[in-house]
Amino acid sequence: MSENFSLPKGVVWVDSGGGVMRAVLSERPELMMVAFAFPEGGVGALHSHPHVQSSFVAEGRFEVTIEGETMTVPKGGSFIVPPSALHGVKALEKGLLIDAFTPRRDDFL
């Protein structure tokens, strides 16, 4: 096992509620990568955290709200959430987000 690599067989999915599943893909204190799988209609409720978040839409289409601005982001699109910004998502179809957080979100470990 290496701290520099993470393989699919080692990924553990946990229930985040409302049918949304979360898996930490890789992490170090400075940076973390997390996958979120959403069913159609699944919601990531409005929230904020002190981390910078960068998100990539790997599958599906999401309605994304950041600080009151809402946009539909399709597969292949991405967005950045500044620290402490109020944000949330709604899956317009079944989808997968790949999120990076800096620093690491220890509450996900």
Side-chain angles (χ1 to χ4, degrees), residues 4 10 18 22 27 32 49-50 56 58 62 77 82 86-88 102 105:
N4 296 319
R22 174 182 77 222
E27 56 87 13
M32 169 184 265
H49 45 73
F56 174 73
F62 289 82
L86 187 63
H87 63 286
T102 183
R105 287 200 55 175

Side-chain angles (χ1 to χ4, degrees), residues 75-97:
K75 178 179 179 177
S78 62
F79 55 94
I80 292 180
V81 180
S84 302
L86 187 63
H87 63 286
V89 301
K90 178 179 180 183
L92 301 176
E93 54 195 57
K94 181 180 175 183
L96 179 69
L97 292 178

Side-chain angles (χ1 to χ4, degrees), residues 5-80:
F5 297 93
S6 178
L7 302 177
K9 66 180 179 180
V11 172
V12 177
W13 289 89
V14 296
D15 189 344
S16 288
V20 178
M21 300 295 289
R22 174 182 77 222
V24 173
L25 302 177
S26 56
E27 56 87 13
R28 294 182 67 107
E30 307 84 5
L31 181 66
M32 169 184 265
M33 191 176 343
V34 182
F36 287 90
F38 286 79
E40 182 175 349
V43 172
L46 288 172
H47 66 286
S48 65
H49 45 73
H51 314 82
V52 175
Q53 173 182 334
S54 177
S55 300
F56 174 73
V57 179
E59 296 176 10
R61 196 166 45 97
F62 289 82
E63 181 178 89
V64 180
T65 301
I66 304 169
E67 288 293 315
E69 179 183 6
T70 301
M71 181 173 280
T72 298
V73 183
K75 178 179 179 177
S78 62
F79 55 94
I80 292 180

